[in-house]
Amino acid sequence: MSNVYIGLLHYPIYNKRMDVITSSITNLDLHDIARSSATYGVQRYFVIHPVEAQQALAKRILGYWTDGYGAEYNPDRYRAFQVLRLVDSLEAAFAEVEAECGQRPLLITTDARTYPNSIAYQVLRSKIQTGDQPVLILFGTGWGMVKEVMQQADYILEPIYGPGEYNHLSVRSAVAIILDRLLGEAWFSEK
Amino acid sequence: MSNVYIGLLHYPIYNKRMDVITSSITNLDLHDIARSSATYGVQRYFVIHPVEAQQALAKRILGYWTDGYGAEYNPDRYRAFQVLRLVDSLEAAFAEVEAECGQRPLLITTDARTYPNSIAYQVLRSKIQTGDQPVLILFGTGWGMVKEVMQQADYILEPIYGPGEYNHLSVRSAVAIILDRLLGEAWFSEK
């Protein structure tokens, strides 16, 4: 297990018109990101949503796979969901990391733009390997997290580029790629 | 644009009991994998399904984003779906690549196990960069593609590992990671 935590933020985020909104929890964000988290040894995947009814919906889905028939049918999914925690705010996620590690985590956010405090993947990968401080990597939903959250970040991960200028990955794909870059085996060294 | 094609195979694949089945097309496999394909400059994303009713369903979803209101609302999604093609068999995908490139593509498959003809990511990345031959990377659905398809492969990509032994990524996440390893910027070199 690493000292890496991730969070998926449903509030406060922007919609297309830059209004501040709350987005809905979606089934595949729970499944895909929990499976990626379990694969890369993420300590905890926080699903951050302030609305009780949305948390109840997520609990019902999780219940099926952790207590219900799904747990028996697919034990791999059961294991993935052990990593997931529902919390109602970013502060609550912070508090849980501090309670576990006795230390405030570095807050890392992600964005499709470059910022003055952008950090290269290889630099963050090394920081994680030293294990000095826990790291919480926060992902936005909708059209991205609000600027007040971005400003709290210690570092902002560089955007992910392919060969062209199109970079509109789903959050599920972005999480997978970022965890692979930060925590995956070093497939890129000489073999 | 690269000379890389990808395919998502819905038949013939295994279910959990190793019966040969046809899986359903799912909405997010269309969206997430098209977005990853557009980001990494994949030439064509083939969704391979033999059943006409399933193809009609996929066409309806695609129509919304390429001709309908969605095209106006989200032009980025429109662009992503330009990469996607519905075909009814692996052979039809092969034929389309050959018609475009005048050459049969190397068939690369993926699996969570290691095989005698496994290929390292860095080796395939170099092969793609030379541009000598088009490459078709095939992904399975369900519990994986049948062994007769695996045996047709020129190379099988090494499994993706995190630090532990859990490696049950969703196909959407696996596609994203594999495209990043093969076609992403070289984030891992000295910066």
Side-chain angles (χ1 to χ4, degrees):
Chain A
M1 278 307 205
S2 64
N3 55 350
V4 174
Y5 296 76
I6 68 173
L8 185 66
L9 193 70
H10 293 85
Y11 171 85
I13 56 155
Y14 293 125
N15 69 4
K16 200 186 176 186
R17 296 191 308 263
M18 301 289 273
D19 307 321
V20 178
I21 58 151
T22 306
S23 63
S24 299
I25 291 178
T26 76
N27 183 40
L28 275 192
D29 286 349
L30 301 178
H31 281 264
D32 281 16
I33 298 177
R35 294 166 73 179
S36 295
S37 296
T39 299
Y40 288 100
V42 165
Q43 191 65 245
R44 195 83 65 224
Y45 161 34
F46 295 110
V47 174
I48 306 170
H49 204 297
V51 177
E52 216 168 303
Q54 280 280 306
Q55 289 216 13
L57 172 71
K59 272 184 198 136
R60 221 177 116 196
I61 296 171
L62 298 175
Y64 175 79
W65 295 102
T66 53
D67 305 318
Y69 174 66
E72 196 184 314
Y73 180 73
N74 191 340
D76 295 329
R77 204 58 54 86
Y78 171 85
R79 283 178 61 198
F81 280 140
Q82 299 306 303
V83 175
L84 193 154
R85 286 290 179 283
L86 292 162
V87 291
D88 60 9
S89 67
L90 179 55
E91 277 319 302
F94 262 116
E96 195 164 321
V97 179
E98 286 196 62
E100 277 185 22
C101 304
Q103 207 180 0
R104 190 186 155 78
L106 277 179
L107 181 65
I108 315 288
T109 58
T110 55
D111 201 79
R113 282 153 293 196
T114 311
Y115 289 82
N117 59 341
S118 284
I119 189 169
Y121 286 89
Q122 202 154 351
V123 176
L124 184 56
R125 189 178 165 97
S126 304
K127 255 188 211 299
I128 289 168
Q129 281 165 357
T130 65
D132 289 342
Q133 196 177 349
V135 163
L136 172 59
I137 309 171
L138 193 62
F139 296 88
T141 55
W143 263 255
M145 56 193 102
V146 300
K147 72 171 191 305
E148 290 75 10
V149 174
M150 292 299 286
Q151 285 161 354
Q152 284 181 52
D154 296 293
Y155 298 106
I156 297 174
L157 272 169
E158 290 186 341
I160 296 169
Y161 288 114
E165 91 297 359
Y166 186 98
N167 69 339
H168 304 282
L169 293 167
S170 75
V171 68
R172 297 165 290 283
S173 299
V175 170
I177 292 164
I178 288 172
L179 292 181
D180 188 58
R181 289 186 178 190
L182 297 177
L183 299 168
E185 56 183 340
W187 61 271
F188 44 81
S189 55
E190 284 65 48
K191 288 200 185 191
Chain B
M1 278 306 205
S2 63
N3 55 351
V4 173
Y5 296 75
I6 67 173
L8 184 66
L9 192 70
H10 293 85
Y11 171 85
I13 56 156
Y14 293 124
N15 69 3
K16 201 188 175 184
R17 294 191 308 260
M18 303 288 275
D19 306 320
V20 178
I21 58 153
T22 305
S23 63
S24 299
I25 291 179
T26 76
N27 183 39
L28 275 191
D29 285 349
L30 301 178
H31 281 264
D32 281 16
I33 298 177
R35 294 166 74 180
S36 295
S37 296
T39 298
Y40 288 101
V42 165
Q43 193 65 247
R44 193 84 64 227
Y45 161 33
F46 295 109
V47 173
I48 306 169
H49 204 296
V51 177
E52 217 169 301
Q54 281 280 305
Q55 288 216 13
L57 172 71
K59 272 185 197 135
R60 223 178 113 195
I61 296 172
L62 298 175
Y64 175 79
W65 295 102
T66 53
D67 306 318
Y69 174 68
E72 196 184 314
Y73 180 74
N74 191 340
D76 294 330
R77 205 56 55 86
Y78 171 84
R79 283 178 62 200
F81 280 139
Q82 298 308 301
V83 175
L84 193 155
R85 285 291 179 283
L86 292 162
V87 291
D88 60 9
S89 65
L90 179 56
E91 277 318 304
F94 263 116
E96 195 164 320
V97 179
E98 286 196 62
E100 277 185 22
C101 304
Q103 207 180 359
R104 188 186 156 80
L106 276 179
L107 181 65
I108 315 287
T109 59
T110 55
D111 201 79
R113 283 152 291 195
T114 310
Y115 288 82
N117 59 339
S118 284
I119 188 169
Y121 287 89
Q122 202 153 349
V123 175
L124 184 56
R125 189 177 165 97
S126 305
K127 253 186 212 299
I128 289 168
Q129 281 165 358
T130 66
D132 288 341
Q133 194 176 351
V135 163
L136 172 59
I137 309 170
L138 194 61
F139 296 89
T141 55
W143 263 254
M145 54 193 104
V146 301
K147 72 171 191 303
E148 289 75 10
V149 174
M150 292 298 286
Q151 284 162 354
Q152 283 182 54
D154 296 293
Y155 297 105
I156 296 173
L157 272 168
E158 288 186 341
I160 296 169
Y161 289 113
E165 91 296 0
Y166 186 98
N167 70 339
H168 304 283
L169 294 166
S170 75
V171 69
R172 298 165 291 285
S173 301
V175 170
I177 293 164
I178 288 172
L179 292 182
D180 187 57
R181 289 186 178 190
L182 296 177
L183 299 168
E185 55 183 341
W187 61 271
F188 44 80
S189 55
E190 283 67 45
K191 290 205 182 186

